[in-house]
Amino acid sequence: MKLIGKTLTLAAAVVCTASLMASKTMAEPVQLTTLEWPPYVNSDGSGTSTDRVIEILSGAGIETTVQVFPWNRAVNLAAKDPAWLGVYPEYYSEADDADKGGDRCLYSKSFGTSPVGFAQRIDAPITWSDHADLTSYTIGVVSGYLNEARFDAMVANGELQTQEVTADDANLKKVAAGRIDAAVIDREVMAHLLADMPALAERLEFNPVPLAEHGLHICFENSDAGRALRDQFNAAF
């Protein structure tokens, strides 16, 4: 009986230690990457998307820290560095979706929306109702951004005349200066940027024909840890 008691005591100690270790691991904050893309994400990581992501993960009992990087680096870190378990806010791409045969990441449910269209000059608006109409224009895009499936395919095939920049504000300046006819941009991002650029705001407007309205997602690392976190995030809605 004494031997059994000692064995049970030892087993209980092992279980307790394992439980404490698990609790410690679970208590470590989850790290996500993001980009500066106000009003969704500001330079310090705050913003409407960050608020919503942290709110949902907090509902699942998960503490979260975020860090702002240039977009392409944010994507690569979340895909390849185990220290970072996801990147947001992302548009959905079936080609990247590990659940659909892709290999980059696992998409969460949509936690918000992004209305996408074209910035244009008020005195020289573009006119389009079909993608083929866009072949008449030179259009600014941001390097590394998904825009809309058919538009991006036409860019890749050389059917559209585009110029790349690294940030949305550069595109707005080029449109205002007449160096390009229009630029792909999120409507809320455009409004936010123009609030600090009154001279440009007097010359630019958002084209009334939408290109797309995207859901915003976290793209979780394609790993067991990423999948577990994605499932916890989705269940917390």
Side-chain angles (χ1 to χ4, degrees):
M1 290 296 294
K2 289 182 180 180
L3 179 59
I4 293 174
K6 289 180 180 179
T7 302
L8 289 173
T9 300
L10 178 60
V14 170
V15 169
C16 182
T17 301
S19 177
L20 288 171
M21 290 177 66
S23 296
K24 182 178 179 181
T25 300
M26 290 176 66
E28 293 176 356
V30 165
Q31 295 190 112
L32 302 176
T33 67
T34 186
L35 82 164
E36 183 179 354
W37 196 45
Y40 299 102
V41 184
N42 300 311
S43 59
D44 63 357
S46 64
T48 56
S49 282
T50 298
D51 291 345
R52 183 63 177 138
V53 164
I54 289 176
E55 177 187 27
I56 294 169
L57 286 169
S58 294
I62 298 168
E63 183 181 351
T64 309
T65 62
V66 305
Q67 188 166 338
V68 173
F69 295 98
W71 180 239
N72 289 327
R73 187 179 178 203
V75 169
N76 287 330
L77 283 172
K80 300 173 183 178
D81 187 336
W84 304 94
L85 284 181
V87 55
Y88 75 93
E90 281 227 32
Y91 298 160
Y92 178 77
S93 169
E94 186 171 332
D96 290 332
D97 187 351
D99 285 330
K100 301 289 185 180
D103 61 3
R104 184 166 77 83
C105 64
L106 298 152
Y107 284 93
S108 72
K109 291 179 180 178
S110 172
F111 61 80
T113 59
S114 166
V116 175
F118 298 101
Q120 63 185 17
R121 292 192 307 281
I122 293 172
D123 63 351
I126 66 170
T127 303
W128 76 288
S129 58
D130 184 84
H131 285 63
D133 299 329
L134 298 173
T135 59
S136 302
Y137 303 108
T138 300
I139 300 171
V141 296
V142 177
S143 176
Y145 282 16
L146 294 174
N147 299 296
E148 183 268 338
R150 186 178 171 193
F151 180 93
D152 290 342
M154 292 176 73
V155 172
N157 293 334
E159 298 173 60
L160 293 176
Q161 302 173 69
T162 58
Q163 293 183 13
E164 281 192 359
V165 295
T166 58
D168 287 301
D169 60 343
N171 264 338
L172 293 179
K173 293 172 185 177
K174 289 175 72 174
V175 175
R179 294 167 58 195
I180 54 178
D181 298 304
V184 182
I185 194 167
D186 173 280
R187 184 184 66 212
E188 302 307 315
V189 171
M190 180 176 173
H192 179 88
L193 291 172
L194 291 182
D196 292 326
M197 296 188 287
L200 268 63
E202 293 176 356
R203 304 175 64 186
L204 300 179
E205 65 182 0
F206 193 73
N207 184 277
V209 180
L211 180 62
E213 181 159 323
H214 294 286
L216 296 177
H217 306 261
I218 303 177
C219 204
F220 288 102
E221 180 184 83
N222 184 18
S223 65
D224 289 343
R227 184 176 295 277
L229 186 58
R230 189 275 306 271
D231 292 347
Q232 287 177 286
F233 180 88
N234 287 350
F237 271 79

